[in-house]
Amino acid sequence: MLRRGSALSGHAIICGAGIGGLSAALALHARGWSVQVIEQAEELREVGAGLQLSPNACKVLQALDVLPELDALSFAPQALEMRLGRSGQSIFRIALQAPAAARWNAPYLHLHRADLLQVLTQSLMIRVPGALRLNARLEQLKHSASGVEVKLSCGQRLHGDLLIGADGIHSRVREILFGPDRPRFTGHVAWRAVAPVEALGQHRPPPSACVWTGPQRHAVTYRLRGGALANFVGVIEQAHWERESWHEQGPREQVLADFAGWHPIVTRLIESAAVHHRWALFDRPPLTSWQHRHCVLLGDACHPMLPFMAQGAAMAIEDAWALASSLDAAAQISPALARYESWRKPRTSRVQAASRANAKVFHRPAPAYWPLWLLARLWPDFFHRRQDWLYAYDVTDPTSENT
Ligand code: FAD
């Protein structure tokens, strides 16, 4: 039942218990909504991989009151570095932790995805017992006079005042609302792996977010879980791919062949990882609309992006916060959803474009990096300034999202 008082509230069905869906459940619950998260998976099982959470995302997680638990599980990188992939020669190294606190008012953290999902899930279970329902796949939806009716694959029907499609790049909610479309292969394939730092001997990755560059490929190394684990992401350009999946694995020999001749910090990490996951990276052209009547999309469901700005999860977390803020300030659902879309689209489109542009920055031959090397020495503040629009996100002012 929809309630209109000083703030709008009611019952929200959230499709998808990923980072975006769980953040939305916490944000809406904090504003007086009753929430039900439906997740198709039988259990919440996350493949081993790391995630960078920049200050803009951390500010929202702080507002959702989950940051202290995450702090204990994370690793705070000292710097952002770029190195040449083969020689390891430094192109630039800029401080990250001190400016994150002083300039952007929140930490920059590295986390295991499983740890982030677990903290978000547990916080929801404690605050709203029974809010998460597993093995519940949204199959169909129908608009009703008072809201929306959802049909699950088991045949059960649920009714809500609001439906949030936080169901990822293959979003069923998006397909029902706006028709089928095919994801677009971006010509990039990403390897992901983790290894215990103690297995790496003298070839431990630096305590930074380190991008290793090379022609047609790059790698990113960083540490997780207080520094005990090392994370590897390796991206190569490839002409074709058949399907997008979060669970595909590949042989260690193939990853080593892709990064043959690279610095031992990179190759030792690949050798020491037990499992090597492989993702083909897809995106979609921007959607004309993210919302219809009492249904709305967030996260990868509406703006999937290449991971080259490390912002996909961060944007889903910001979306969740902005959606709850917009509903809080509204008298009716539909205008609030339209306003949320107008706040979020310019910013997420800009991040999508910047992520695509970074593919070109990271995949050049060594001599192309000399201007960057020179710039870093002459004007170190340049890199911090360039991140201001992204990291200086203000949770108290959702319109700042358009900056
Ligand atoms: P998802 O995480 O995809 O969650 C969707 C959920 O919906 C899933 O649990 C799914 O099972 C469920 N679902 C789907 N359909 C249905 C249905 N019909 N019914 C019920 N449930 C359903 N981002 C960062 O911010 N920092 C990084 O460092 C970073 N690194 C990355 C590195 C790589 C290689 C890749 C590929 C991505 C990276 N990202 C990063 C991006 C980030 O992982 C994604 O943007 C983020 O996970 C999207 O979250 P989401 O909640 O929108 O969707």
Side-chain angles (χ1 to χ4, degrees):
M1 174 66 79
L2 204 59
R3 290 187 293 275
R4 292 180 185 83
S6 56
L8 185 68
S9 66
H11 181 62
I13 300 172
I14 299 163
C15 179
I19 295 166
L22 292 168
S23 301
L26 291 170
L28 283 174
H29 168 68
R31 308 223 183 205
W33 284 74
S34 94
V35 290
Q36 168 89 79
V37 182
I38 51 171
E39 166 58 48
Q40 63 183 3
E42 284 173 23
E43 54 175 329
L44 287 182
R45 192 169 46 90
E46 183 55 43
V47 295
L51 203 62
Q52 305 191 51
L53 277 185
S54 49
N56 47 318
C58 287
K59 275 182 265 193
V60 176
L61 295 170
Q62 184 147 36
L64 294 177
D65 205 17
V66 293
L67 198 59
E69 285 121 281
L70 292 173
D71 249 342
L73 297 164
S74 64
F75 182 80
Q78 291 166 13
L80 172 64
E81 282 192 68
M82 188 180 267
R83 299 185 182 193
L84 296 181
R86 286 178 175 271
S87 67
Q89 184 175 349
S90 175
I91 301 162
F92 66 75
R93 181 183 190 282
I94 53 164
L96 203 51
Q97 241 11 267
R103 194 174 180 115
W104 303 307
N105 301 317
Y108 193 111
L109 298 178
H110 291 164
L111 276 157
H112 201 292
R113 279 179 63 93
D115 294 341
L116 174 59
L117 280 168
Q118 197 185 1
V119 166
L120 292 173
T121 306
Q122 275 176 358
S123 301
L124 183 63
M125 305 291 246
I126 290 167
R127 293 174 204 183
V128 200
L132 174 60
R133 183 161 162 194
L134 299 176
N135 202 9
R137 179 174 159 70
L138 180 145
E139 198 171 85
Q140 205 41 268
L141 71 88
K142 206 166 79 185
H143 303 288
S144 67
S146 59
V148 58
E149 187 182 88
V150 161
K151 184 174 164 231
L152 302 181
S153 50
C154 64
Q156 194 187 349
R157 290 169 199 274
L158 308 173
H159 186 271
D161 301 301
L162 169 67
L163 171 68
I164 301 175
D167 46 349
I169 188 165
H170 299 297
S171 171
R172 174 74 182 136
V173 176
R174 184 194 57 230
E175 187 181 26
I176 298 168
L177 291 178
F178 304 116
D181 66 350
R182 278 180 65 82
R184 178 173 66 184
F185 178 51
T186 59
H188 298 91
V189 175
W191 291 102
R192 292 176 106 179
V194 291
V197 165
E198 64 178 23
L200 303 175
Q202 59 178 3
H203 299 303
R204 299 174 174 213
S208 56
C210 189
V211 181
W212 305 77
T213 69
Q216 285 94 49
R217 66 207 59 222
H218 78 274
V220 183
T221 58
Y222 53 87
R223 299 197 193 183
L224 307 169
R225 288 199 182 138
L229 275 184
N231 189 71
F232 164 79
V233 181
V235 177
I236 58 162
E237 293 177 18
Q238 187 172 303
H240 304 289
W241 189 270
E242 294 309 317
R243 67 198 181 91
E244 201 268 355
S245 155
W246 282 86
H247 299 290
E248 180 137 345
Q249 293 183 18
R252 176 185 286 117
E253 296 68 38
Q254 194 179 338
V255 203
L256 285 170
D258 284 342
F259 290 90
W262 276 47
H263 194 275
I265 289 181
V266 174
T267 53
R268 183 66 187 265
L269 213 171
I270 297 170
E271 280 161 3
S272 304
V275 182
H276 302 78
H277 287 280
R278 181 164 51 183
W279 276 262
L281 301 179
F282 284 75
D283 68 4
R284 282 191 157 77
L287 287 179
T288 322
S289 179
W290 295 4
Q291 39 81 33
H292 182 59
R293 297 181 68 170
H294 284 208
C295 304
V296 67
L297 302 174
L298 64 70
D300 278 10
C302 51
H303 48 64
M305 56 184 68
L306 284 168
F308 303 161
M309 291 281 287
Q311 284 296 317
M315 287 300 118
I317 292 168
E318 283 188 12
D319 285 349
W321 181 258
L323 178 58
S325 306
S326 181
L327 286 162
D328 203 35
Q332 290 188 323
I333 289 188
S334 292
L337 302 186
R339 188 164 56 154
Y340 151 80
E341 181 185 328
S342 74
W343 284 347
R344 297 300 299 160
K345 233 187 205 162
R347 180 166 167 88
T348 54
S349 302
R350 187 173 173 187
V351 179
Q352 281 178 303
S355 303
R356 269 193 296 275
N358 262 0
K360 294 196 180 72
V361 174
F362 294 164
H363 291 187
R364 293 186 292 188
Y369 290 102
W370 290 119
L372 216 50
W373 179 87
L374 199 62
L375 187 66
R377 271 135 195 95
L378 295 178
W379 190 12
D381 196 33
F382 170 79
F383 295 93
H384 292 138
R385 279 172 190 266
R386 268 181 63 93
Q387 299 306 91
D388 279 345
W389 69 275
L390 190 52
Y391 298 165
Y393 177 79
D394 182 358
V395 287
T396 64
D397 176 14
T399 58
S400 74
E401 292 157 19
N402 287 324
T403 56

